[in-house]
Amino acid sequence: MTTSSAAPAPATSAWRLMDPPHATSLDEPDAWAYRGIAEMHAAAAVVDIGNADAAPTPIGVLVGMNNQSYVRKLRRIAVVDTPAGPQVVGEATVFLQVRANPELAIGGIVVHPEHRGRGIATALAQWSRDTARAEGRTSFMTYVDFGPQKPAGETLAPASGSGEVAADLPGVLLAQKLGLTLQLVERRSRIDLPVLPEAVSRFEAESRAVAGDAYRVHTWTAPMPEEWIEQYAALEQALSDDEPRGGLEVESDVWDVERIRTEEAAMTAKGDQYVVTAAEHVATGELVAMTMLQWNDLQPEHTNQQATVVLRTHRGHRLGMLVKAVNLREHARLRPQAQRIYTWNNEENPHMLAINIALGFVPAGGCANFQGPLT
Ligand SMILES: CC(C)(COP(=O)(O)OP(=O)(O)OC[C@H]1O[C@@H](n2cnc3c(N)ncnc32)[C@H](O)[C@@H]1OP(=O)(O)O)[C@@H](O)C(=O)NCCC(=O)NCCS
């Protein structure tokens, strides 16, 4: 085995590490790497989580690499040479936030299920830590996605709160071998569609009855309306400031209008679509709550829940449920063919979990977040 990034090795089943070439379009020959990364993630997700819904699309990888003004993205891949060309069998990413968390590097490592146990992750982890150190980072964070099956053996829980992960998962063992500690468990929940329209209407009516006339809801799809974009950015900022993070040492990121526009342009370039429902406080004209559902027609079966937030001073009026119920109704109208929606919540966020459980979301695995010093 070699870990060189030099010219392609002769055809062999041995793996080697290399920097993926950057293609500016999927039509270019160099796009093999981004296509291979997406395929490798899909194969891994089927084994690790039970389906490929969470895998990136090739265009998603490409657009992500074209957009680095808020998060710099460094990547290394493991490949084996085949008669058809190089096959991606592993990937490491190191994400560096540009405007916040100057000490932090966020790493991700995935190895193709058929190529595990051959030291590939060990080499990718070495590259990740060397790269983070060379960038002056002193703290390393990584995550392990896991499926819905209940752990049969021992589990690991974060010191700061709730949630657990099977202690014998390869990713958990690797993270610990890297000196990292479990700091937060996120729950992935799934709701199978359609949600009965009567149920959505009931949730909407019940929450409207509590919220009263003091609030008015607005729903939109891209492009973000000029009228609301500044307040929408403020809500994203509030979410980043408020989100419980367990034992993770991470400061909030910076959100403003320019960033919302940049993110929206990237979503459009990937073919992502969304629907937002927000609540306006009528007396002040202020947007005080919002929720977003996002999807891509390249992955027709599922939709992902993105941010949901209610400003602190407006909590307790059922606005979280109201915006979610209205958004579910709009999503059903815009995307009737979708079969499921996923949402992610920190296990230490009981209010958000309670709303999702009431709506009918059921646990579908999760994500264990590890962090520790870069030694
Ligand atoms: C975790 C993962 C990246 C390991 O890839 P790999 O190439 O098989 O790993 P390596 O052969 O380099 O082994 C690295 C370490 O992982 C752990 N590990 C990997 N496979 C294991 C297994 N089947 N049983 C126990 N430990 C395992 C061990 O700590 C191992 O070190 P060791 O051999 O010194 O004990 C791979 O299983 C994977 O892609 N899992 C899903 C994604 C994920 O969980 N990533 C988290 C990264 S922290």
Side-chain angles (χ1 to χ4, degrees):
M1 283 175 197
T2 127
T3 57
S4 132
S5 63
T12 162
S13 67
W15 55 269
R16 62 196 166 89
L17 298 192
M18 64 180 290
D19 293 333
H22 179 57
T24 51
S25 142
L26 288 179
D27 299 329
E28 290 174 19
D30 271 351
W32 66 266
Y34 294 163
R35 289 186 195 282
I37 287 170
E39 275 168 29
M40 188 273 302
H41 275 279
V46 166
V47 168
D48 297 327
I49 306 176
N51 64 48
D53 288 349
T57 59
I59 189 69
V61 178
L62 187 153
V63 170
M65 293 307 277
N66 278 340
N67 284 277
Q68 308 213 22
S69 19
Y70 296 94
V71 182
R72 284 179 52 221
K73 296 157 191 151
L74 309 172
R75 265 198 161 85
R76 192 121 168 112
I77 53 175
V79 298
V80 294
D81 292 296
T82 76
Q87 182 200 352
V88 177
V89 296
E91 179 205 36
T93 48
V94 172
F95 284 9
L96 307 168
Q97 289 175 354
V98 173
R99 299 210 279 172
N101 293 299
E103 294 87 26
L104 181 68
I106 304 168
I109 298 176
V110 179
V111 173
H112 192 292
E114 287 164 19
H115 295 268
R116 291 182 181 173
R118 302 171 65 194
I120 296 177
T122 303
L124 288 170
Q126 172 91 38
W127 171 85
S128 304
R129 288 153 55 87
D130 289 349
T131 301
R133 264 191 232 104
E135 292 284 342
R137 307 286 156 145
T138 52
S139 174
F140 196 78
M141 205 170 109
T142 192
Y143 52 89
V144 177
D145 286 317
F146 56 90
Q149 62 286 351
K150 220 167 162 38
E154 279 190 31
T155 58
L156 208 62
S160 61
S162 27
E164 59 178 14
V165 59
D168 61 354
L169 279 184
V172 169
L173 293 162
L174 174 58
Q176 289 177 309
K177 190 177 140 188
L178 298 176
L180 309 177
T181 307
L182 178 63
Q183 304 288 5
L184 176 75
V185 177
E186 288 170 88
R187 185 188 303 182
R188 181 189 312 108
S189 305
R190 191 198 74 233
I191 191 166
D192 289 325
L193 300 175
V195 182
L196 288 179
E198 308 85 75
V200 177
S201 300
R202 183 165 46 82
F203 286 124
E204 188 181 335
E206 283 171 3
S207 43
R208 271 191 203 278
V210 177
D213 295 336
Y215 301 94
R216 193 159 45 210
V217 295
H218 302 276
T219 297
W220 66 80
T221 52
M224 211 42 86
E226 276 304 316
E227 184 188 359
W228 297 124
I229 192 165
E230 197 170 338
Q231 299 206 50
Y232 183 86
L235 285 168
E236 282 280 8
Q237 186 65 58
L239 176 63
S240 187
D241 293 343
D242 273 5
E243 204 173 15
R245 296 194 182 89
L248 289 175
E249 285 181 18
V250 183
E251 63 187 37
S252 5
D253 207 346
V254 179
W255 287 90
D256 55 20
V257 168
E258 193 190 337
R259 182 162 190 182
I260 299 292
R261 288 217 173 89
T262 305
E263 300 279 348
E264 187 174 66
M267 281 164 69
T268 305
K270 286 184 219 176
D272 280 4
Q273 301 177 58
Y274 68 80
V275 57
V276 164
T277 295
E280 176 193 4
H281 182 232
V282 177
T284 57
E286 190 186 6
L287 276 199
V288 298
M290 66 85 166
T291 189
M292 175 189 270
L293 289 166
Q294 182 177 353
W295 64 88
N296 191 307
D297 284 337
L298 292 172
Q299 296 172 315
E301 292 190 359
H302 79 277
T303 288
N304 289 321
Q305 172 70 54
Q306 303 294 355
T308 299
V309 62
V310 179
L311 289 186
R312 272 180 187 280
T313 44
H314 293 269
R315 289 184 190 162
H317 302 282
R318 299 277 199 283
L319 294 178
M321 180 59 95
L322 176 61
V323 292
K324 282 202 126 182
V326 173
N327 220 36
L328 273 180
R329 172 158 52 74
E330 283 302 299
H331 174 264
R333 193 175 62 79
L334 292 163
R335 206 174 191 234
Q337 76 279 19
Q339 293 176 25
R340 52 194 170 269
I341 300 176
Y342 291 103
T343 186
W344 286 260
N345 302 109
N346 297 340
E347 286 284 3
E348 294 159 42
N349 193 351
H351 299 300
M352 196 69 254
L353 279 169
I355 290 177
N356 288 331
I357 290 166
L359 283 167
F361 280 87
V362 294
C367 181
N369 294 272
F370 291 80
Q371 187 177 21
L374 255 179
T375 47

